[in-house]
Amino acid sequence: MKIMVVESPNKVKSLSAILGDDWKVMASSGHIRDLPKKELGISLPGFELHYELMPGLDGKPHTSGKARVDRIRLHLSDAEMVYLATDPDREGEAIAWHLKDALGLRESDYQRVTFGSIEPAAVSDALRKVRKIDMDSVYAQEGRRALDRLVGYLVSPVLSDMAGMNLSAGRVQSVALRLIVDRERAIRAFRVTNHFGAVVVFDGGAWSAKWDTSPFVSEDEPYVMDEPLAARAAGCKAFRVETADVKHSKENPPSPFDTALLLQAASVKLKMGAAETMKAAQALFEGPPGAEHGVITYHRTDSVNFSEESLAEIRAYAQAAGLPVADKPRKWKESEDAQAGHQAIRPTDLAVEEAGETEAQRSLYRLIRERAIASQLAEAQYCNTVVRLVGVSEGTEFTFVAKGRVMTAAGWRTLTRIDAADEGDGKDDETGAVPALPVGSGKQADSGEISKLKTAAPARYTEASLVKKLKADGIGRPATYSAIINTIQQRNYVALEKRAYVPTPIGEMLVDGLVKAGFGFVELGFTRDMEARLDLIAKGQAQYRDVVSAAHAQLQQELIGVTLNTDLKPAHSCPNCNAPLRRLQRPGKATIWFCTGEATCKTFMDDENGKPVARKSYPCPKCSTPLRRFKRKKGPGYGWVCPSTSGCETFLDDHNGKPLALHACPKCSRPLRRYPKKNADGKLTGLHGWFCTGGDECKTHMEDVNGKPVEIRTAPCPKCDRLMHRRMGQYGWYWGCSGYRDGCKTMMADEGGKPVPKRSGSGSGKPRTGQGRGGGGAKSGSTRSKPK
């Protein structure tokens, strides 16, 4: 038996069907090991990474890294060979190495195999090209992890101290965030300039010409601000044709999809986010459960070219479909850092027109298929006409330009009208079907009008334009684009407004802190250079330790510079030990400030308008020692306790963040205790009551009104003469008979503290559904929760 280990469980059935009964296909379910969560996990100065098996998800032991490794190990004794078939990228290479190491495989025990698509031909071809793990790629991936870890763990605390709140610096995410912040500030600084142009119309509106303002502007004054001048230009009627150029042009189809282009196209055309796109692409790559193969090739790629076999297949399919095929196979120039061996994203079977289990998957598949076929079609051909016309108005000569383009052969546009990854609106500077007028001939305009124009601010980054910018600047790689964008969104550093990114105040604060402190990794050039260095590691042209140690040394110098810079002080310092204070905002809880200094300094402060203020102190009513508020271990809410060591042991309940005053039992003078009421199902009702702490000696119970005990009033029941009790329910006060256990279900409304018959249709006194007979009082059948 042979064992093949893949990353995703969704691939198991497809590969099992392809490989046959002599194989056992198993899944690692992604990463099995990771760096520790609560410590750096890197040894200095050697920069060795310390991995640990991943814990189970949500307390499920069977999902842990150890459990997943153990399941694979159970079958090793029966295996003649183990094939590590994790994904064909650096991250997949690293996962293969972790599996080899965790399983204790020797070099003779395993083979590394990769395939760009899950289909019989691709799998068979991959098994003919087995190899060993590419440690250079593993080191490159480890270099990325080490650098990300160093920045996150060493810079984030300094940045948080400067800001006074928890902020997280990311080696690449911070650069993407800075792009968004810088763009937003350019938009804010932008000032609209109103200016003028002119347009004249010919041949009943069939075409028009625009005023060429270049003779009337300069470098210092680039726009026409003179409206009367524009009016004179628009007033031109008689024109002389100065030039008329007719040229033929060709337009090549857009390249196939790499990861960045796929993310852009899905965002622009399908309105899908990066995470949703990659999830759908992953499902298409793996294929539906039980399928014999996936429906697209590997989707994490920086290549825009196909293999020779794929090119031949696409061209043959297009030709059979009657589409105009290019004279020879099309290839595009690759970026210098594109990973060798990968190809662009394409369907595994072009004959399959529809694929995917969800609408998102189906839409994405159609986009990929259309793009792959279009890439090998003929050029679209055009006849372009540019005419320059000169007119005179009030003695001034004005030149107008008309541009026209007519498609003479659709070519690739037979299949798709536009480049789906282009965010343009499809408009250009064309002015209609412009005729090729004889030079020197005259032409009369139908009409003319002033164009009131204004300059436009830079556009905010959309997901598509941000990915395009990251790729153009060499920031990140195919496997990281989605994670970069998701991280800055999840940490609330940016928000989406009309599908465009806007930095939040926290995001701007983070960028300002990094720039002010002078950290190099937030600069585009530094990050681009670091990505190039990681590529050199993968190519075996640089050493992991040299690259990481140099980056660490620079980071250390920058951190020292921060400590020496007197202008970079913590936003707020502890009044007791002078260490930085940190703001902690918890969902549903009061915002507080805490000291980040030594463990012996346990200073906490309240928040007031985003600044720390001294905590409000409440003295113990017995010994005057300041009370301490605590979270109940059992039951909901908080309580207050006297921390005095003199044996005071005063306990007070909490109401809206303040200790409730001591209340004595009206019968025995012992302290009363407030408790939350529960309904018959044991669920909290949101109401409270009071009970005497005298135990069995005194069973006094009282109602609660605004945190104070109120005596339970009684009156005789008009049906059974037992006592009726006045209770506080969900809808206010009501009266209920204490003999309900013996069958008396009498309930009455409350009016002025006295029982009155319930009015028809009135909700007065209506008890909470399921609350029990008496509105939650301890003596009326509800369950009470006594605090300890």
Side-chain angles (χ1 to χ4, degrees):
M1 181 185 70
K2 301 173 184 178
I3 292 178
M4 177 176 284
V5 183
V6 295
E7 288 186 42
S8 173
N10 293 341
K11 300 177 185 177
V12 172
K13 286 187 178 180
S14 300
L15 287 169
S16 296
I18 293 172
L19 294 170
D21 296 336
D22 293 337
W23 291 77
K24 183 170 186 59
V25 184
M26 306 186 72
S28 72
S29 298
H31 289 273
I32 58 167
R33 299 196 300 200
D34 197 5
L35 295 171
K37 286 189 174 182
K38 296 186 178 180
E39 57 185 80
L40 182 61
I42 302 176
S43 293
L44 303 178
F47 300 99
E48 292 87 4
L49 303 183
H50 300 288
Y51 294 102
E52 56 186 29
L53 288 167
M54 299 178 72
L57 299 174
D58 299 325
K60 299 176 182 177
H62 67 279
T63 64
S64 69
K66 181 180 184 304
R68 287 179 278 147
V69 169
D70 288 345
R71 283 196 291 271
I72 299 172
R73 187 180 285 118
L74 285 174
H75 300 275
L76 292 183
S77 59
D78 299 327
E80 59 183 88
M81 182 61 66
V82 177
Y83 292 80
L84 301 176
T86 49
D87 288 350
D89 55 15
R90 293 175 194 169
E91 190 171 9
E93 205 72 20
I95 293 175
W97 176 79
H98 282 292
L99 285 167
K100 171 184 175 294
D101 190 59
L103 292 169
L105 299 177
R106 299 167 299 183
E107 287 297 304
S108 58
D109 294 334
Y110 85 95
Q111 294 288 358
R112 174 76 170 115
V113 59
T114 61
F115 30 82
S117 60
I118 301 177
E119 51 186 338
V123 174
S124 298
D125 183 60
L127 290 173
R128 290 193 295 270
K129 300 175 182 178
V130 295
R131 58 177 173 82
K132 296 301 179 182
I133 291 172
D134 179 4
M135 290 307 298
D136 288 331
S137 291
V138 175
Y139 293 142
Q141 180 64 20
E142 288 202 318
R144 181 180 297 280
R145 293 288 288 119
L147 292 170
D148 291 346
R149 196 75 166 192
L150 290 169
V151 168
Y153 270 71
L154 298 182
V155 177
S156 295
V158 175
L159 194 63
S160 298
D161 289 345
M162 290 170 57
M165 66 175 64
N166 287 330
L167 296 177
S168 179
R171 183 182 64 85
V172 181
Q173 297 93 322
S174 297
V175 179
L177 177 60
R178 184 179 183 182
L179 288 171
I180 296 170
V181 169
D182 288 348
R183 177 62 59 87
E184 188 66 22
R185 288 175 174 171
I187 294 171
R188 291 175 194 162
F190 179 79
R191 296 293 178 266
V192 174
T193 299
N194 294 308
H195 59 105
F196 302 96
V199 176
V200 290
V201 178
F202 298 90
D203 297 342
W207 58 284
S208 60
K210 294 181 179 179
W211 176 28
D212 178 8
T213 61
S214 57
F216 302 94
V217 298
S218 64
E219 187 174 340
D220 296 330
E221 297 182 5
Y223 304 107
V224 173
M225 314 294 287
D226 187 347
E227 187 172 5
L229 178 65
R232 288 162 58 194
C236 291
K237 290 292 188 293
F239 288 91
R240 172 178 53 84
V241 178
E242 184 178 60
T243 62
D245 295 326
V246 178
K247 293 182 179 179
H248 295 278
S249 63
K250 297 180 179 180
E251 181 185 28
N252 289 330
S255 72
F257 286 138
D258 61 3
T259 302
L261 287 171
L262 179 65
L263 292 174
Q264 292 172 54
S267 175
V268 173
K269 189 168 184 179
L270 306 180
K271 311 303 181 191
M272 289 171 57
E276 183 185 8
T277 300
M278 294 307 283
K279 181 179 179 181
Q282 181 74 34
L284 293 172
F285 171 65
E286 294 169 355
E292 293 186 0
H293 56 78
V295 295
I296 65 169
T297 56
Y298 193 54
H299 52 291
R300 292 187 179 92
T301 174
D302 48 14
S303 175
V304 290
N305 285 304
F306 296 127
S307 66
E308 297 296 335
E309 295 82 359
S310 298
L311 285 172
E313 179 185 338
I314 294 171
R315 290 171 62 81
Y317 178 86
Q319 198 161 21
L323 296 170
V325 181
D327 293 336
K328 58 182 181 180
R330 292 191 184 279
K331 293 188 177 182
W332 281 262
K333 183 179 179 181
E334 301 275 22
S335 60
E336 294 181 0
D337 50 17
Q339 296 185 41
H342 285 199
Q343 62 171 314
I345 307 168
R346 62 168 178 83
T348 55
D349 184 355
L350 289 169
V352 177
E353 296 184 5
E354 293 283 337
E357 296 187 286
T358 66
E359 184 54 39
Q361 293 174 23
R362 289 188 286 270
S363 297
L364 194 66
Y365 178 81
R366 286 192 292 268
L367 202 63
I368 293 169
R369 182 177 180 274
E370 182 182 85
R371 183 83 165 208
I373 297 172
S375 71
Q376 296 306 310
L377 298 186
E379 307 93 339
Q381 298 182 29
Y382 303 90
C383 178
N384 302 280
T385 305
V386 179
V387 175
R388 294 178 66 86
L389 305 107
V390 178
V392 177
S393 177
E394 298 181 19
T396 303
E397 192 174 85
F398 297 93
T399 300
F400 284 73
V401 179
K403 296 179 180 179
R405 185 172 77 159
V406 177
M407 182 183 290
T408 57
W412 64 274
R413 288 186 181 271
T414 304
L415 188 64
T416 175
R417 187 179 65 83
I418 60 171
D419 177 353
D422 187 359
E423 284 193 286
D425 57 9
K427 299 178 181 178
D428 51 30
D429 202 30
E430 295 175 17
T431 50
V434 180
L437 301 173
V439 175
S441 64
K443 188 66 179 176
Q444 191 74 17
D446 297 339
S447 62
E449 64 178 16
I450 295 175
S451 300
K452 294 184 178 180
L453 310 170
K454 60 181 180 180
T455 54
R460 284 173 172 157
Y461 282 110
T462 62
E463 191 164 271
S465 61
L466 182 59
V467 170
K468 185 176 181 180
K469 176 67 173 174
L470 293 175
K471 182 185 178 184
D473 285 349
I475 308 301
R477 288 296 181 262
T480 65
Y481 294 135
S482 177
I484 291 170
I485 293 171
N486 287 343
T487 298
I488 59 177
Q489 283 187 271
Q490 291 172 357
R491 290 177 177 167
N492 195 33
Y493 296 156
V494 298
L496 268 177
E497 291 185 8
K498 297 180 179 178
R499 299 188 58 81
Y501 288 115
V502 180
T504 64
I506 296 176
E508 293 194 51
M509 184 186 300
L510 187 149
V511 170
D512 288 342
L514 292 172
V515 173
K516 188 175 181 181
F519 287 111
F521 68 86
V522 79
E523 302 294 337
L524 282 173
F526 178 92
T527 306
R528 184 189 306 114
D529 179 65
M530 189 53 63
E531 293 289 355
R533 290 175 181 271
L534 292 173
D535 291 340
L536 291 177
I537 296 175
K539 296 174 182 177
Q541 298 173 8
Q543 298 298 311
Y544 160 84
R545 185 174 298 179
D546 293 341
V547 172
V548 176
S549 62
H552 177 256
Q554 178 175 335
L555 189 60
Q556 288 290 87
Q557 288 298 316
E558 291 166 350
L559 289 168
I560 292 172
V562 171
T563 60
L564 297 177
N565 190 338
T566 57
D567 292 333
L568 299 176
K569 297 179 180 179
H572 302 284
S573 298
C574 175
N576 295 324
C577 71
N578 209 38
L581 287 174
R582 191 78 52 80
R583 187 170 182 258
L584 179 61
Q585 191 169 8
R586 302 161 295 176
K589 299 180 180 179
T591 299
I592 63 170
W593 292 77
F594 66 94
C595 178
T596 61
E598 297 294 333
T600 54
C601 183
K602 297 182 179 180
T603 299
F604 289 89
M605 302 184 75
D606 290 329
D607 179 83
E608 187 174 286
N609 298 323
K611 295 182 180 179
V613 296
R615 303 203 83 171
K616 294 178 181 177
S617 178
Y618 299 97
C620 173
K622 290 185 178 180
C623 68
S624 300
T625 302
L627 294 170
R628 180 172 60 83
R629 187 172 184 249
F630 67 93
K631 178 76 171 68
R632 297 178 189 269
K633 291 183 178 179
K634 293 184 179 180
Y638 292 82
W640 294 79
V641 67
C642 178
S644 173
T645 58
S646 61
C648 178
E649 298 183 354
T650 296
F651 173 89
L652 297 176
D653 289 291
D654 180 89
H655 182 65
N656 295 331
K658 298 179 181 179
L660 287 169
L662 282 176
H663 295 281
C665 175
K667 291 184 179 180
C668 69
S669 299
R670 289 185 176 91
L672 290 172
R673 183 73 50 79
R674 187 171 182 255
Y675 69 93
K677 290 183 179 181
K678 296 180 180 179
N679 61 21
D681 298 327
K683 296 181 180 180
L684 294 173
T685 65
L687 303 174
H688 291 79
W690 293 78
F691 69 92
C692 178
T693 58
D696 293 335
E697 297 179 16
C698 181
K699 297 184 177 180
T700 299
H701 286 80
M702 303 182 75
E703 290 293 343
D704 178 86
V705 178
N706 295 325
K708 296 180 180 180
V710 176
E711 185 178 358
I712 299 175
R713 298 184 185 183
T714 60
C717 175
K719 288 188 177 181
C720 69
D721 290 329
R722 297 182 187 231
L723 288 179
M724 295 192 77
H725 291 151
R726 185 175 184 249
R727 303 291 191 191
M728 172 61 75
Q730 180 183 8
Y731 301 98
W733 291 104
Y734 71 99
W735 291 78
C737 181
S738 62
Y740 78 96
R741 292 183 185 275
D742 297 326
C744 184
K745 307 297 184 182
T746 303
M747 295 178 64
M748 302 183 74
D750 179 83
E751 188 174 288
K754 296 180 180 180
V756 297
K758 294 175 65 176
R759 291 186 294 274
S760 177
S762 170
S764 175
K766 183 180 178 181
R768 189 181 186 131
T769 302
Q771 184 172 301
R773 167 63 191 76
K779 288 188 177 180
S780 57
S782 67
T783 303
R784 85 175 178 219
S785 176
K786 270 192 180 183
K788 292 185 178 180

